[in-house]
PDB file of all heavy atoms in Angstrom:
ATOM      1  N   LEU B 104     -13.705  26.784 -35.751  1.00  0.00           N
ATOM      2  CA  LEU B 104     -14.344  26.611 -34.440  1.00  0.00           C
ATOM      3  C   LEU B 104     -14.833  27.989 -33.948  1.00  0.00           C
ATOM      4  O   LEU B 104     -14.125  28.986 -34.119  1.00  0.00           O
ATOM      5  CB  LEU B 104     -13.315  26.018 -33.467  1.00  0.00           C
ATOM      6  CG  LEU B 104     -13.867  25.424 -32.162  1.00  0.00           C
ATOM      7  CD1 LEU B 104     -14.764  24.230 -32.430  1.00  0.00           C
ATOM      8  CD2 LEU B 104     -12.702  24.992 -31.255  1.00  0.00           C
ATOM      9  N   SER B 105     -16.010  28.027 -33.334  1.00  0.00           N
ATOM     10  CA  SER B 105     -16.487  29.337 -32.845  1.00  0.00           C
ATOM     11  C   SER B 105     -15.622  29.822 -31.709  1.00  0.00           C
ATOM     12  O   SER B 105     -15.027  29.033 -30.972  1.00  0.00           O
ATOM     13  CB  SER B 105     -17.942  29.211 -32.396  1.00  0.00           C
ATOM     14  OG  SER B 105     -17.991  28.566 -31.146  1.00  0.00           O
ATOM     15  N   ARG B 106     -15.565  31.144 -31.556  1.00  0.00           N
ATOM     16  CA  ARG B 106     -14.762  31.715 -30.455  1.00  0.00           C
ATOM     17  C   ARG B 106     -15.251  31.201 -29.110  1.00  0.00           C
ATOM     18  O   ARG B 106     -14.474  30.977 -28.182  1.00  0.00           O
ATOM     19  CB  ARG B 106     -14.812  33.246 -30.451  1.00  0.00           C
ATOM     20  CG  ARG B 106     -14.323  33.888 -31.729  1.00  0.00           C
ATOM     21  CD  ARG B 106     -12.810  33.741 -31.887  1.00  0.00           C
ATOM     22  NE  ARG B 106     -12.462  33.913 -33.288  1.00  0.00           N
ATOM     23  CZ  ARG B 106     -12.354  35.116 -33.883  1.00  0.00           C
ATOM     24  NH1 ARG B 106     -12.514  36.204 -33.174  1.00  0.00           N
ATOM     25  NH2 ARG B 106     -12.086  35.205 -35.157  1.00  0.00           N
ATOM     26  N   SER B 107     -16.566  31.053 -28.976  1.00  0.00           N
ATOM     27  CA  SER B 107     -17.072  30.606 -27.674  1.00  0.00           C
ATOM     28  C   SER B 107     -16.646  29.154 -27.396  1.00  0.00           C
ATOM     29  O   SER B 107     -16.376  28.804 -26.247  1.00  0.00           O
ATOM     30  CB  SER B 107     -18.572  30.800 -27.560  1.00  0.00           C
ATOM     31  OG  SER B 107     -19.226  29.986 -28.489  1.00  0.00           O
ATOM     32  N   ASP B 108     -16.539  28.338 -28.470  1.00  0.00           N
ATOM     33  CA  ASP B 108     -16.045  26.969 -28.251  1.00  0.00           C
ATOM     34  C   ASP B 108     -14.558  26.990 -27.881  1.00  0.00           C
ATOM     35  O   ASP B 108     -14.110  26.197 -27.059  1.00  0.00           O
ATOM     36  CB  ASP B 108     -16.256  26.116 -29.516  1.00  0.00           C
ATOM     37  CG  ASP B 108     -17.673  25.583 -29.591  1.00  0.00           C
ATOM     38  OD1 ASP B 108     -18.316  25.447 -28.543  1.00  0.00           O
ATOM     39  OD2 ASP B 108     -18.127  25.316 -30.734  1.00  0.00           O
ATOM     40  N   VAL B 109     -13.779  27.880 -28.535  1.00  0.00           N
ATOM     41  CA  VAL B 109     -12.350  27.980 -28.193  1.00  0.00           C
ATOM     42  C   VAL B 109     -12.218  28.410 -26.727  1.00  0.00           C
ATOM     43  O   VAL B 109     -11.447  27.834 -25.965  1.00  0.00           O
ATOM     44  CB  VAL B 109     -11.619  29.008 -29.103  1.00  0.00           C
ATOM     45  CG1 VAL B 109     -10.193  29.242 -28.613  1.00  0.00           C
ATOM     46  CG2 VAL B 109     -11.610  28.526 -30.547  1.00  0.00           C
ATOM     47  N   ARG B 110     -13.028  29.409 -26.336  1.00  0.00           N
ATOM     48  CA  ARG B 110     -12.940  29.889 -24.935  1.00  0.00           C
ATOM     49  C   ARG B 110     -13.324  28.787 -23.947  1.00  0.00           C
ATOM     50  O   ARG B 110     -12.653  28.579 -22.951  1.00  0.00           O
ATOM     51  CB  ARG B 110     -13.847  31.127 -24.765  1.00  0.00           C
ATOM     52  CG  ARG B 110     -13.640  31.785 -23.421  1.00  0.00           C
ATOM     53  CD  ARG B 110     -14.393  33.107 -23.303  1.00  0.00           C
ATOM     54  NE  ARG B 110     -13.923  34.119 -24.236  1.00  0.00           N
ATOM     55  CZ  ARG B 110     -14.601  34.599 -25.271  1.00  0.00           C
ATOM     56  NH1 ARG B 110     -15.843  34.166 -25.503  1.00  0.00           N
ATOM     57  NH2 ARG B 110     -14.087  35.494 -26.067  1.00  0.00           N
ATOM     58  N   ALA B 111     -14.398  28.055 -24.279  1.00  0.00           N
ATOM     59  CA  ALA B 111     -14.840  26.962 -23.383  1.00  0.00           C
ATOM     60  C   ALA B 111     -13.741  25.912 -23.253  1.00  0.00           C
ATOM     61  O   ALA B 111     -13.463  25.402 -22.158  1.00  0.00           O
ATOM     62  CB  ALA B 111     -16.111  26.346 -23.911  1.00  0.00           C
ATOM     63  N   LEU B 112     -13.083  25.613 -24.402  1.00  0.00           N
ATOM     64  CA  LEU B 112     -11.981  24.619 -24.392  1.00  0.00           C
ATOM     65  C   LEU B 112     -10.841  25.096 -23.501  1.00  0.00           C
ATOM     66  O   LEU B 112     -10.333  24.350 -22.661  1.00  0.00           O
ATOM     67  CB  LEU B 112     -11.490  24.433 -25.837  1.00  0.00           C
ATOM     68  CG  LEU B 112     -10.250  23.560 -26.036  1.00  0.00           C
ATOM     69  CD1 LEU B 112     -10.603  22.083 -25.835  1.00  0.00           C
ATOM     70  CD2 LEU B 112      -9.665  23.764 -27.428  1.00  0.00           C
ATOM     71  N   PHE B 113     -10.415  26.354 -23.693  1.00  0.00           N
ATOM     72  CA  PHE B 113      -9.307  26.878 -22.906  1.00  0.00           C
ATOM     73  C   PHE B 113      -9.693  26.999 -21.435  1.00  0.00           C
ATOM     74  O   PHE B 113      -8.863  26.813 -20.554  1.00  0.00           O
ATOM     75  CB  PHE B 113      -8.829  28.224 -23.464  1.00  0.00           C
ATOM     76  CG  PHE B 113      -8.068  28.130 -24.774  1.00  0.00           C
ATOM     77  CD1 PHE B 113      -7.853  26.902 -25.390  1.00  0.00           C
ATOM     78  CD2 PHE B 113      -7.546  29.261 -25.375  1.00  0.00           C
ATOM     79  CE1 PHE B 113      -7.141  26.802 -26.599  1.00  0.00           C
ATOM     80  CE2 PHE B 113      -6.824  29.167 -26.580  1.00  0.00           C
ATOM     81  CZ  PHE B 113      -6.630  27.936 -27.185  1.00  0.00           C
ATOM     82  N   ASP B 114     -10.943  27.334 -21.175  1.00  0.00           N
ATOM     83  CA  ASP B 114     -11.418  27.436 -19.781  1.00  0.00           C
ATOM     84  C   ASP B 114     -11.254  26.098 -19.039  1.00  0.00           C
ATOM     85  O   ASP B 114     -10.861  26.062 -17.885  1.00  0.00           O
ATOM     86  CB  ASP B 114     -12.890  27.887 -19.714  1.00  0.00           C
ATOM     87  CG  ASP B 114     -13.014  29.397 -19.773  1.00  0.00           C
ATOM     88  OD1 ASP B 114     -11.980  30.092 -19.644  1.00  0.00           O
ATOM     89  OD2 ASP B 114     -14.145  29.879 -19.950  1.00  0.00           O
ATOM     90  N   VAL B 115     -11.570  25.010 -19.734  1.00  0.00           N
ATOM     91  CA  VAL B 115     -11.502  23.686 -19.079  1.00  0.00           C
ATOM     92  C   VAL B 115     -10.034  23.192 -19.116  1.00  0.00           C
ATOM     93  O   VAL B 115      -9.443  22.877 -18.099  1.00  0.00           O
ATOM     94  CB  VAL B 115     -12.411  22.654 -19.766  1.00  0.00           C
ATOM     95  CG1 VAL B 115     -12.218  21.265 -19.135  1.00  0.00           C
ATOM     96  CG2 VAL B 115     -13.866  23.092 -19.618  1.00  0.00           C
ATOM     97  N   ASN B 116      -9.437  23.152 -20.316  1.00  0.00           N
ATOM     98  CA  ASN B 116      -8.123  22.489 -20.464  1.00  0.00           C
ATOM     99  C   ASN B 116      -6.970  23.272 -19.859  1.00  0.00           C
ATOM    100  O   ASN B 116      -5.973  22.673 -19.429  1.00  0.00           O
ATOM    101  CB  ASN B 116      -7.858  22.175 -21.935  1.00  0.00           C
ATOM    102  CG  ASN B 116      -8.761  21.055 -22.473  1.00  0.00           C
ATOM    103  OD1 ASN B 116      -9.729  20.707 -21.836  1.00  0.00           O
ATOM    104  ND2 ASN B 116      -8.433  20.519 -23.616  1.00  0.00           N
TER     105      ASN B 116
END
Side-chain angles (χ1 to χ4, degrees):
L104 196 63
S105 76
R106 300 291 160 80
S107 64
D108 279 335
V109 172
R110 189 172 296 113
L112 174 74
F113 286 2
D114 275 349
V115 175
N116 289 14

